[in-house]
Amino acid sequence: MNFPQRLIDGYSAFTRGRLQAEQHRYRELAEHGQTPEIMVIGCCDSRVSPEVIFDARPGELFVVRNVANLVPPFETGGTYHGVSAALEFGVVALKVKHIVVLGHAHCGGIKAYAEEAAPLSPGDFIGRWMSLIAPAAAKVGPRGSMSREEYIERMEKASVVNTLDNLMTFPRLRKLIEQGSVVLHGAYFGVAAGELSVLDKATGEFRPVKASELK
Ligand SMILES: [Zn+2]
């Protein structure tokens, strides 16, 4: 069997630990369906799993992950819209109350855009996908005297704000937001220290979650 041993080992630990503790909950979720109130749009990056960062139990988070936690602006047409489909399901079927766009430090997608990395393939899926952050990059402006790290961090944070703007282009979602039925949030995870910052919409700044807010 070529199935990765790491996954077999992990599954084994899951059945001995978490599954036993959560068995009743899993059965209930299977019987009654999921009703998560929070949707998270995160990056594929292996260091920023929303379920881990937010210590989520099964059924609590509806998560969509893609390179650099992006949402393309609303559009119709014949192509395939993976993020839009997840958004539609989360908002219309599950009726989530919160949508969190979770950016993070050291994002490879943002870095590739910022440093104009060479395409990885002739088809260049990443380059085309990352062109979605062009409006965020325009807001940050030229790097100037900023260090490379600061420039990329600004871009990562501006991209979260840009993704929130793109979410507002979905007519049905926009209506629900204006009615107060859905609330949008921006957040940023600093990988090295594990620090979480939340976007203050009034100031446009990302504010670290203080220890006093932690239980
Ligand atoms: Zn990333």
Side-chain angles (χ1 to χ4, degrees), residues 1-168:
M1 186 162 68
N2 290 325
F3 198 70
Q5 188 59 42
R6 172 64 188 85
L7 297 187
I8 301 287
D9 295 345
Y11 176 67
S12 172
F14 167 74
T15 55
R16 280 181 276 114
R18 190 159 183 176
L19 180 60
Q20 288 193 7
E22 302 270 19
Q23 182 65 80
H24 179 68
R25 188 175 172 86
Y26 272 109
R27 284 200 204 285
E28 265 196 351
L29 287 166
E31 201 176 319
H32 303 294
Q34 58 169 338
T35 53
E37 293 193 347
I38 301 166
M39 176 170 181
V40 180
I41 298 165
C43 182
C44 296
D45 192 301
S46 59
R47 299 164 293 185
V48 294
S49 169
E51 294 89 342
V52 173
I53 294 170
F54 298 113
D55 193 25
R57 300 173 68 194
E60 284 187 322
L61 296 183
F62 184 66
V63 177
V64 56
R65 295 174 74 170
N66 61 55
V67 173
N69 42 271
L70 301 174
V71 173
F74 176 79
E75 59 169 8
T76 53
T79 48
Y80 300 98
H81 299 283
V83 184
S84 307
L87 201 54
E88 183 174 69
F89 190 71
V91 170
V92 180
L94 299 176
K95 297 185 171 53
V96 296
K97 295 186 170 70
H98 300 271
I99 300 177
V100 179
V101 177
L102 178 64
H104 71 99
H106 311 291
C107 183
I110 304 278
K111 187 165 162 275
Y113 183 92
E115 297 182 344
E116 298 174 31
L120 289 180
S121 72
D124 189 24
F125 291 109
I126 293 181
R128 186 163 150 64
W129 179 246
M130 290 313 301
S131 69
L132 285 168
I133 77 157
K139 277 188 193 151
V140 172
R143 183 176 145 189
S145 59
M146 269 183 265
S147 71
R148 181 173 161 271
E149 288 72 24
E150 188 189 351
Y151 178 61
I152 290 173
E153 183 177 327
R154 282 204 192 187
M155 199 95 97
E156 287 160 348
K157 289 178 174 171
S159 178
V160 170
V161 174
N162 185 52
T163 294
L164 293 170
D165 290 343
N166 285 350
L167 284 168
M168 292 298 281

Side-chain angles (χ1 to χ4, degrees), residues 201-213:
K201 286 181 200 158
T203 63
E205 297 292 318
F206 283 79
R207 197 171 57 83
V209 175
K210 291 184 200 130
S212 58
E213 295 172 77

